[in-house]
Amino acid sequence: MTTARTPTRAASTRGRRPGRSAGDDRELAILATAERLLERRAFGDISIDDLAKGAGISRPTFYFYFPGKDAVLLTLLDRVIEEADAAAGDVLDRLAEDPRARWRELIARFHATFGGHRAVVLACAQVRGTNAEVRRLWAEVLERWVRAVEAAIEGERRRGAAPDGLPARDLAIALNSMNERVWYATFAGDGPAVAERDVVDVLLDVWLTAIYRTTTPPPA
Amino acid sequence: MTTARTPTRAASTRGRRPGRSAGDDRELAILATAERLLERRAFGDISIDDLAKGAGISRPTFYFYFPGKDAVLLTLLDRVIEEADAAAGDVLDRLAEDPRARWRELIARFHATFGGHRAVVLACAQVRGTNAEVRRLWAEVLERWVRAVEAAIEGERRRGAAPDGLPARDLAIALNSMNERVWYATFAGDGPAVAERDVVDVLLDVWLTAIYRTTTPPPA
DNA sequence: GACGACAGTCAACACCCTGTCGACTCCCCT
DNA sequence: AGGGGAGTCGACAGGGTGTTGACTGTCGTC
């Protein structure tokens, strides 16, 4: 994907303390507690006290490590994003080898990454509405992915594999948005959702028809 | 759309009081205040006291009319949904006349309805994560719309206008999900979004290619 | 080996928002 | 005229957040 994760943030200095000392365990303990608790209840139902207790510290001490609940989630999100970027790798640069297989690989890898951290992903989606930081980070990441897909679509059009049509950017936005919402529904399990087993193939089908007007695009 | 809005709820008894008396003005005042305030700040930043003050009553009195903040939003959502159902009408029953025109009409009408109440729609999307009632209602409505689209796709396949492919239900879910998320981004204005002017045509293009494999499906 | 500096810790406080209770007023109907 | 219910709100209890200030331990340094 050549997504080049511009180092807009350190992703490890979210909590304070540029320090190095042993209290790092506590920070990790808070993070671990958060991810564990998130699997049982909603983010809003977890109090700072819960996080502190879970990490074996008092509530005021929590504030020594993080400026608030949201910062914890933000750190968790940072990690998931990093993992997703790594998983995506450079598949989009090798599209022409076998377009269908590569697009599928891309979607499947994102699916695996998000599915592996569904609690965090779900919590972020919920908090995005109320927390500007999460919203900003997610917008930034999405923009990167959209740009990568946009470039890939333009590449496919240039080599004659995909027909002209919508502006590549608009198409990329629509497809990425679809994935986000469909995954959310599948992981959350409320409302109409595609079965987890099928979701990658359903998404792939829509991507291929929207980009190529066929489900069997030609290799180079 | 023949969506037959099964009367699962009265949509007007959300606040309490089966009554008829003059205090209805207050209820309306609360609703109006909520929609007005929602245009300036996020739902979470509006306190019950704000709502009460805005309606010229005290905070405890607010509870006489609504069981809580969320119920106000729920009532507002009910109205928008009713309006959307009415706007959709029976376009999907007349698809064969001119598929492209009808699908466009459907999408454009939903766009107009949601765009006319973007504050409410945005707030609901944000609250869906934390409020089970909103989540349930939205899931129920979405299920109805998905079913309508699913039936329409099957109809188009039966008359030979659309090729076979994904299960119609999965396709309907994916497309509806895309619309929801794309509209949200367009209205919210954060993160990558399709320009409001283009959004209907972008969505339409993806719907048509996903359903028909062409942007110019044949009429009956 | 005494001492300042600083990471780490928490009891206690001030604050804000929610939801509830009980008392009060008004008005309508009998 | 008077009993009942709609409508109203002051005052309270409870729970969550964020901050302050004092305490502890452990370094490196002179």
Side-chain angles (χ1 to χ4, degrees), chain B residues 59-82:
Chain B
R59 203 170 56 77
T61 299
F62 168 91
Y63 288 101
F64 179 80
Y65 292 99
F66 292 94
K69 241 199 324 183
D70 296 357
V72 178
L73 189 56
L74 222 33
T75 304
L76 254 17
L77 179 58
D78 263 333
R79 295 169 162 195
V80 175
I81 288 170
E82 217 148 333

Side-chain angles (χ1 to χ4, degrees), chain B residues 5-14 74 78 82 133 136-137 140:
Chain B
R5 181 107 176 80
T6 32
T8 56
R9 59 181 56 259
S12 57
T13 321
R14 180 80 70 198
L74 222 33
D78 263 333
E82 217 148 333
E133 274 291 293
R136 212 193 40 61
L137 174 56
E140 183 185 309

Side-chain angles (χ1 to χ4, degrees), chain A residues 20-40:
Chain A
R20 64 260 74 178
S21 173
D24 282 333
D25 311 352
R26 300 291 159 75
E27 189 166 330
L28 266 345
I30 293 173
L31 258 2
T33 302
E35 190 148 13
R36 180 166 46 79
L37 256 31
L38 240 19
E39 271 148 33
R40 312 278 157 208

